[in-house]
Amino acid sequence: MRFDIITLFPELFGPFQQVGVTRRAFEQRLVELHLWPLRDHAEGAYRRVDDRPFGGGPGMVMLVEPLVRCLQAIRQHQAQAGLGPLPVILFSPAGRPLTQARVAELAASPGCVLLCGRYEGVDQRFIDAFVDEEISLGDYVLSGGELPALTLVDAVARLQPGVLHDAASHEQDSFSNGLLDCPHYSRPEVLTLGGPQVGGEQAHPLDMSVPAVLMSGHHAEIARWRRQQQLAITARRRPELIEAARARGELSKKDEDFLRGLAL
Ligand code: 4F9
């Protein structure tokens, strides 16, 4: 799939394509980034891409005309690649929150145009005429849409078939079954912390063991423990996710019995 990214800071996207799990997605061309530096579509000696807001107030607004020229260039490029016009997504705190379900839909689509806003915002007329969807990453303000764009590309890239070595490994992640993930442990089986050096104070050595069930080799017991950990952690931290799972009919009788016995 293909992302066309409209940004004032294309250099932010380079290193990301060269590391980790996402690198494989780019190497195998399962995901392609086409970067469109907005300033290339600005006019005049100053190559303006923003101006002051009508009605006054602080900050600057991204101008419609460079955005329209940039989008026209993208559409031409998409058409040459035999792709219809791809939907335009704007990252904004005023958008709908991103969910793993939306990520999975986008991962199965031919691609989209990501508009990374800067300044106070984008002239509403561009949004009305060209933006198909506004997405928020959360209730906080960033300096621009570039980090949200990288976040979306990452979330989508790791769902491409063949990107994760272990195909099952994202099926257990937080949200993939609507619940938060369970804890994970690896070696050593017993970790000794503490002793004289910790915090500059005399501390008693502390043995931290891996939960015994994980060492039992009993696969059904392990699966049950993990499910219960997921339920307990989700109920305490994100009770609304338990409600949503219940509404989707994804909680079994055993799950409900376990939840009733939990001290929250
Ligand atoms: C976008 C914040 C998406 C949260 C874009 C300033 C943003 C944002 N989620 N903040 N520009």
Side-chain angles (χ1 to χ4, degrees):
M1 67 177 301
R2 137 178 200 158
F3 289 100
D4 291 279
I5 302 180
I6 304 175
T7 174
L8 286 165
F9 301 103
E11 62 273 23
L12 291 177
F13 293 83
F16 177 74
Q17 297 178 65
Q18 288 154 32
V19 300
V21 164
T22 46
R23 172 186 180 164
R24 278 203 295 277
F26 294 111
E27 279 174 354
Q28 297 174 49
R29 304 198 116 234
L30 295 167
V31 178
E32 269 176 42
L33 297 192
H34 298 267
L35 297 168
W36 299 87
L38 184 59
R39 216 167 286 280
D40 292 355
H41 301 273
E43 282 186 332
Y46 299 101
R47 308 217 131 223
R48 289 202 81 127
V49 293
D50 64 320
D51 207 337
R52 289 150 62 202
F54 284 129
M60 302 291 268
V61 174
M62 287 176 83
L63 295 170
V64 177
E65 286 154 299
L67 286 170
V68 171
R69 282 191 290 270
C70 185
L71 186 57
Q72 278 168 344
I74 291 171
R75 297 244 149 111
Q76 214 163 35
H77 200 268
Q78 289 173 348
Q80 279 160 9
L83 285 166
L86 298 175
V88 178
I89 292 174
L90 170 66
F91 295 103
S92 154
R96 267 207 292 270
L98 185 60
T99 61
Q100 186 66 21
R102 186 70 189 115
V103 167
E105 283 173 5
L106 288 169
S109 81
C112 50
V113 178
L114 305 181
L115 169 54
C116 306
R118 283 266 152 180
Y119 316 114
E120 286 310 296
V122 176
D123 188 304
Q124 187 62 35
R125 293 167 294 182
F126 183 82
I127 299 175
D128 292 343
F130 297 105
V131 171
D132 298 288
E133 180 177 1
E134 291 184 63
I135 292 181
S136 167
L137 287 210
D139 294 338
Y140 42 81
V141 181
L142 299 169
S143 315
E146 281 78 8
L147 289 173
L150 284 167
T151 303
L152 178 66
V153 171
D154 181 292
V156 160
R158 58 195 302 292
L159 291 188
Q160 298 302 311
V163 168
L164 296 186
H165 284 313
D166 180 355
S169 85
H170 62 73
E171 280 158 27
Q172 222 203 335
D173 289 342
S174 286
F175 308 118
S176 289
N177 64 1
L179 302 176
L180 303 182
D181 199 5
C182 62
H184 303 280
Y185 297 87
S186 186
R187 294 188 294 175
E189 186 179 342
V190 180
L191 177 67
T192 304
L193 289 182
Q197 291 297 65
V198 172
E201 271 176 50
Q202 182 70 41
H204 296 293
L206 177 66
D207 284 345
M208 302 180 79
S209 299
V210 172
V213 59
L214 297 179
M215 312 306 295
S216 70
H218 195 309
H219 296 295
E221 282 294 304
I222 292 170
R224 189 168 73 108
W225 179 84
R226 285 181 170 153
R227 177 74 179 178
Q228 292 182 344
Q229 288 288 314
Q230 284 199 300
L231 291 166
I233 291 165
T234 308
R236 290 188 183 114
R237 297 184 188 173
R238 300 285 303 279
E240 79 280 12
L241 295 180
I242 294 284
E243 270 313 312
R246 183 174 286 134
R248 290 193 305 271
E250 289 173 9
L251 299 185
S252 68
K253 169 88 170 51
K254 279 185 181 158
D255 290 337
E256 295 289 6
D257 289 347
F258 175 76
L259 284 167
R260 255 192 309 279
L262 262 189
L264 291 186

